[in-house]
Amino acid sequence: MDSLMVEQDMLLRVQSNQTQLEVRRLCEQSRRLMRDHQTIVDESRRALEKSWELLAKYGDSNLR
């Protein structure tokens, strides 16, 4: 293996490591976003349930 091939091999290894780190970072970011999304969905569902409870309790006369 000549020095150019060794240099290219090292460069590919560095690029591969950088790519793996970027993929890990993006996967973690995706997991955080999915968790945040699920929190929003859960909070929205609770708010909607509460709205239906209040509507059932007080009717829609207070909305006019």
Side-chain angles (χ1 to χ4, degrees), residues 16-49:
S16 175
N17 287 340
Q18 289 172 337
T19 300
Q20 288 175 13
L21 289 172
E22 181 67 6
V23 167
R24 284 188 197 122
R25 185 187 71 76
L26 291 171
C27 286
E28 181 56 36
Q29 182 181 22
S30 176
R31 279 192 288 275
R32 277 195 312 273
L33 290 171
M34 286 189 292
R35 238 184 352 257
D36 292 348
H37 174 263
Q38 189 59 51
T39 299
I40 291 168
V41 168
D42 292 344
E43 290 175 359
S44 297
R45 181 184 43 78
R46 284 191 293 274
L48 183 60
E49 288 170 353

Side-chain angles (χ1 to χ4, degrees), residues 54 57-58:
L54 293 172
K57 184 175 183 179
Y58 298 109

Side-chain angles (χ1 to χ4, degrees), residues 50-60:
K50 184 66 174 176
S51 297
W52 280 112
E53 289 172 15
L54 293 172
L55 187 59
K57 184 175 183 179
Y58 298 109
D60 64 354

Side-chain angles (χ1 to χ4, degrees), residues 8-21:
Q8 287 175 337
D9 183 61
M10 289 177 62
L11 180 59
L12 285 174
R13 288 173 193 247
V14 168
Q15 288 173 335
S16 175
N17 287 340
Q18 289 172 337
T19 300
Q20 288 175 13
L21 289 172

